[in-house]
């Protein structure tokens, strides 16, 4: 059994869970809650960065981060399943990199709120991160995939990022990006694991 250290709300963990489901590997993946804030968490030994998701293999070896884990799961399922091969690989990986970058910026905004008292929060830093999210969403909306395109890691990452903006940023992105909203609705219809991995807090 593979052990995925994660938390229900982790968007990077969600990416891995959706990927595993699409690859037919959910039955081989046991999810175990990891508290990134707990200094006694074994996670800090499993992954020196103390970040989730982290995957523990049957050999005891660990893998991180989400991109490496998805690469591993795709390989385990035969390869080329959700990470395209050949030339198509690069736009898919770039789409994943963009979505992950949007998530990194959103998480930094969330952490600013969690770790700093109100008077110590830096509005210009928050705005700097907001710029990454806004430009990233605009770029993503300009490059929407064809509805018939086979689902790949770029789509999974994009859906996970939008889901996180819904969860933590009250879905404010939706008004400015109606075509992305339609894209996400279509993704949710095609990929049932998206709804199954949704959390509300
Ligand atoms: N690049 C990493 C990012 C993972 C990440 O930032 N995870 C967050 C939770 S969603 C985390 O572990 N935060 C705690 C920390 O940064 O210490 C990945 O793709 O897995």
């Amino acid at each position: 059994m593979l052990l995925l250290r994660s938390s229900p709300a982790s968007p990077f963990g969600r990416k891995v869970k959706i990927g595993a489901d699409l690859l037919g590997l959910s039955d081989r993946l046991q999810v175990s809650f990891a508290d990134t804030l707990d200094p006694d968490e074994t996670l800090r030994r499993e992954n020196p960065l103390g970040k989730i998701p982290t995957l523990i293999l049957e050999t005891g070896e660990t893998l991180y981060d989400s991109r490496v884990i998805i690469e591993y799961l795709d390989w385990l399922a035969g390869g080329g399943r959700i990470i395209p091969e050949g030339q198509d690989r690069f736009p898919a990986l770039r789409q994943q990199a963009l979505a992950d970058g949007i998530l990194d910026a959103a998480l930094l905004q969330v952490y600013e709120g969690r770790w700093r008292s109100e008077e110590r929060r830096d509005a210009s830093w928050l705005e700097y991160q907001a710029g990454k999210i806004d430009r990233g969403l605009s770029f993503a909306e300009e490059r929407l995939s064809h509805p018939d395109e086979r689902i790949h890691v770029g789509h999974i990452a994009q859906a996970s990022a939008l889901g996180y903006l819904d969860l933590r940023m009250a879905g404010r992105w939706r008004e400015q990006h109606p075509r992305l909203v339609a894209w996400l609705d279509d993704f949710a219809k095609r990929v049932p694991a998206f709804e199954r991995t949704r959390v509300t807090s």
Side-chain angles (χ1 to χ4, degrees):
M1 195 59 116
L2 300 165
L3 191 67
L4 183 71
R5 307 300 318 279
S6 190
S7 80
S10 165
F12 291 104
R14 187 178 194 185
K15 207 174 83 172
V16 171
K17 289 173 199 163
I18 295 172
D21 190 85
L22 283 169
L23 291 166
L25 291 173
S26 290
D27 289 352
R28 291 184 61 182
L29 196 70
Q30 186 184 332
V31 183
S32 131
F33 175 74
D35 181 354
T36 54
L37 298 178
D38 178 356
D40 298 325
E41 243 295 345
T42 55
L43 177 70
R44 294 189 185 186
R45 293 195 291 281
E46 292 150 1
N47 173 352
L49 302 174
K51 289 194 180 206
I52 50 173
T54 291
L55 186 71
I56 307 179
L57 307 185
E58 278 138 5
T59 57
E61 190 66 76
T62 60
L63 291 180
Y64 41 85
D65 58 5
S66 64
R67 299 181 212 200
V68 177
I69 297 172
I70 289 194
E71 183 92 37
Y72 175 77
L73 295 178
D74 190 69
W75 170 80
L76 205 60
R81 298 272 307 277
I82 54 170
I83 303 181
E85 286 169 344
Q87 257 193 348
D88 293 345
R89 180 177 171 87
F90 301 102
L93 290 180
R94 184 187 59 187
Q95 188 174 17
Q96 173 176 226
L98 181 71
D100 285 1
I102 290 172
L103 274 178
D104 285 336
L107 279 164
L108 285 173
Q109 290 188 326
V110 168
Y111 292 165
E112 184 78 1
R114 274 189 201 156
W115 285 82
R116 290 186 197 276
S117 55
E118 197 143 3
E119 56 283 2
R120 288 181 65 231
R121 278 177 215 154
D122 188 333
S124 65
W125 170 249
L126 290 170
E127 207 172 303
Y128 182 62
Q129 299 307 328
K132 294 176 194 291
I133 299 172
D134 291 346
R135 291 190 303 275
L137 291 175
S138 297
F139 185 92
E141 191 162 41
E142 279 162 24
R143 308 278 177 122
L144 285 178
S145 50
H146 191 274
D148 296 336
E149 197 183 339
R150 192 168 143 186
I151 299 288
H152 60 58
V153 70
H155 307 133
I156 299 169
Q158 186 165 293
S160 301
L162 296 175
Y164 189 72
L165 297 181
D166 276 338
L167 179 67
R168 295 283 182 247
M169 313 275 166
R172 285 190 291 275
W173 64 277
R174 288 176 171 265
E175 205 179 310
Q176 297 293 315
H177 301 288
R179 292 175 59 233
L180 265 183
V181 173
W183 177 87
L184 187 61
D185 288 345
D186 182 62
F187 180 88
K189 278 191 205 119
R190 292 176 71 192
V191 181
F194 183 69
E195 282 306 324
R196 283 204 300 272
T197 52
R198 183 194 293 279
V199 295
T200 51
S201 63

